[in-house]
Amino acid sequence: MGGWLKKLPKPLGVMAANDNRGRQVLEACRAYDIAVPDEVAVVGVDNDELLCRLSSPPLSSVEQGAKGIGYAAAALLDQMIQGHNSRKRQYVSDPTTVVTRQSTDILAIDDPKVAQAMAFIRDHSSEGIKVPQVVNAVAISRSGLETRFA
């Protein structure tokens, strides 16, 4: 499935039809060693909390507002039960929000060394890393990295 991902220019964003497809895109990225979100940002639809949080990395998703859709459907059903015939046959419900998670958590940074340093910091922040570790990961001098950050 993921061979097509390797061929596309990077960075890019993929919006999947639903969270399950988004998870499959994440799996393809992992199988083809494509960095998410640095090379490919992925967002799904439905905001299935369990599926999104268990994805690796956690999947960002569009929340469709199922509760509001349910209320609208119940109101329509009530009208139909009361004998009101609606001529309207299509109903559109706007999404409520995008729930952002790690699959789209990227900073737009022009300098590739600064972007690489920020990605390293993001990925290892819970490990108690120090500046020398960041410098080693980026393969640049400390003063050079400080200048680029400034």
Side-chain angles (χ1 to χ4, degrees):
M1 172 185 159
W4 60 273
L5 281 170
K6 274 289 196 198
K7 297 174 186 174
L8 293 173
K10 310 285 183 314
L12 67 99
V14 175
M15 182 170 178
N18 55 51
D19 292 336
N20 192 45
R21 292 288 182 246
R23 184 187 55 77
Q24 290 172 341
V25 172
L26 293 175
E27 288 175 4
C29 288
R30 188 171 45 256
Y32 286 87
D33 200 29
I34 298 171
V36 175
D38 299 317
E39 293 182 82
V40 177
V42 183
V43 64
V45 176
D46 293 332
N47 195 35
D48 180 326
E49 285 283 327
L50 183 62
L51 187 63
C52 290
R53 291 189 185 278
L54 292 179
S55 297
S56 180
L59 178 66
S60 295
S61 186
V62 176
E63 174 66 57
Q64 294 194 70
K67 190 174 183 179
I69 294 170
Y71 280 121
L76 178 61
L77 181 60
D78 182 55
Q79 289 177 357
M80 292 170 68
I81 289 171
Q82 292 180 26
H84 302 290
N85 188 9
S86 175
R87 294 180 184 260
K88 189 175 181 182
R89 295 290 178 215
Q90 292 184 359
Y91 297 87
V92 177
S93 177
D94 293 329
T96 58
T97 189
V98 175
V99 179
T100 56
R101 296 186 182 90
Q102 192 177 347
S103 71
T104 56
D105 185 17
I106 185 135
L107 296 172
I109 301 171
D110 289 332
D111 188 311
K113 290 292 186 182
V114 173
Q116 189 179 0
M118 292 298 293
F120 180 82
I121 293 167
R122 179 193 65 223
D123 294 342
H124 301 281
S125 61
S126 64
E127 299 169 13
I129 57 172
K130 305 287 184 210
V131 174
Q133 292 167 297
V134 177
V135 168
N136 287 338
V138 178
I140 190 173
S141 70
R142 180 179 179 138
S143 61
L145 189 57
E146 287 173 352
T147 300
R148 287 173 181 242
F149 262 93

